[in-house]
Amino acid sequence: MPGSENVLGQLIRQAMQGCWGGVDGKRNVNTSMVVRLADFLLKRAITLRASDLHLEPQADGMKVRYRVDGLLKQEDQILPAQLAGFLVSRLKVMAGMDIAQHQKPQDGHIGFSLTDRVIDIRTSSMPTVHGEMMVCRFMNIEEKLLCISELGFSPENQQRFVDLISRPAGMVIVCGPVNNGKTTTLYAAMQALNTPEYNLVTLEDPVEHTLSGINQVQINPKGGLDYVAGLKSLLRQDTDRILLGEIRSGDTAEMAVRIALTGHLLLTTLHTEDAVAAVFRLREMGVPAYLIAATLTGVVAQRLVRRCCPDCQEIYEVKAGSPEAAMLGSVWQPGLKLKRNRGCNHCCGSGYRGRLALQEVLAVTPTIRAAILQELDRQHLQQLAEREGLKTIWEDGIAKVLSGESTLAELKRVV
């Protein structure tokens, strides 16, 4: 990646001089250089707005990669193999992990201080055949939390979502793959619901951002506080609105459904590919259809696509018979023009900068509720949902491509 070669190269050379210094030829680490190298890589990731920093040992050295806007970007320089262990050990010390343990996975946490704030970094190490690999996840690089109007909903979907979270009871699920903004959407919903008249509580693992005026609980399974125990306790806490970080098991799913039955509004996440699939995932977890029908009020499915860089856009015409015209289907018409990007210094040559959410919002209408009770198969439930007004993620994506916010290539990559 451009922009770091000189500084990174100097740090590597200086650290390596420390690694093999001394007349006896033994390793004699220049600790200060390893510290500076670790700090540089963390600051580099923050500058790039990366969600994750990957340190991956290979046979010829350690590969450094950053996940930016959902895709991994690799540093041009490979860290020497002799330096890899020292760097991982330094990060493990910062994260409060056991530096003597190399044969099992570990998790840790770094509070990385910048001039004006502290960045919350969650670390995870894993042994490989060439040494320990480590991933550092940056939890709060973006200081500002988004509100619902900034989540990228179409006007119709935004109104549906607001209606769902405004109900006094029931369960609203936000679903999608990992790293697709589910927690961001839930936080926006909780902020919209945060008024003095209601008691709002979150159960999270981990707590990603501090929300003013909301009681946030960090799950601690080793201490006996898992999602099920937390949900049971909240029944005695006079709670009105609950954010459950994730439904991971059948026990959690059953408890979440039963809390929604008792007059609470429960917001949570689930890993499914679309909104309708959430119904069948709950059934796979052992939740009876009659309980799903009684409590589920709506599902939001979303994906994140890269947003067009505003500094290097160009307009082009979609020709008849082209693959892009085929992707657009009935939307294509003669003379249709879209935007694409050449790549520039502002976007590191990628043509994209930042990300944009694509959503579909399934509101559980009386017709949908009856279909869930009848246990219709997935295909028929999807068709029924679309007749009831569901706009799919693909359709939402096409609309945002036509408005110039992203590209057909990016939509095809993600959806």
Side-chain angles (χ1 to χ4, degrees), residues 30-77:
N30 187 332
T31 305
S32 64
M33 288 298 103
V34 176
V35 169
R36 286 182 59 188
L37 177 60
D39 287 351
F40 171 81
L41 292 175
L42 294 176
K43 289 177 181 177
R44 170 78 168 148
I46 293 168
T47 301
L48 291 171
R49 300 176 297 103
S51 61
D52 302 87
L53 165 65
H54 290 239
L55 301 174
E56 304 168 3
Q58 310 291 312
D60 58 344
M62 176 169 276
K63 183 167 60 177
V64 179
R65 297 198 289 176
Y66 311 89
R67 188 172 294 279
V68 181
D69 294 334
L71 294 180
L72 287 169
K73 299 178 182 295
Q74 183 172 331
E75 284 283 6
D76 294 333
Q77 292 179 283

Side-chain angles (χ1 to χ4, degrees), residues 99-120:
I99 63 171
Q101 177 55 256
H102 306 287
Q103 302 304 317
K104 67 178 183 180
Q106 293 188 65
D107 296 317
H109 165 258
I110 298 172
F112 189 65
S113 297
L114 296 178
T115 304
D116 55 344
R117 58 190 173 122
V118 175
I119 301 296
D120 183 18

Side-chain angles (χ1 to χ4, degrees), residues 145-156:
L145 292 171
L146 301 181
C147 62
I148 291 177
S149 62
E150 297 172 315
L151 293 176
F153 283 107
S154 67
E156 180 183 1

Side-chain angles (χ1 to χ4, degrees), residues 1 6 73 77 369:
M1 293 184 63
N6 292 337
K73 299 178 182 295
Q77 292 179 283
R369 202 174 304 279

Side-chain angles (χ1 to χ4, degrees), residues 177 180 273-274 302-305 327 356-360 392-398 401 407-415:
N180 271 267
E273 61 183 17
D274 57 38
Q302 65 182 48
R303 298 285 193 282
L304 294 181
V305 295
M327 287 177 64
L356 169 74
L358 311 179
Q359 300 105 341
E360 62 183 33
T392 66
I393 289 177
W394 178 263
E395 291 173 323
D396 191 48
I398 289 294
V401 168
T407 66
L408 282 173
E410 180 66 3
L411 179 61
K412 183 180 180 181
R413 181 186 70 84
V414 172
V415 180

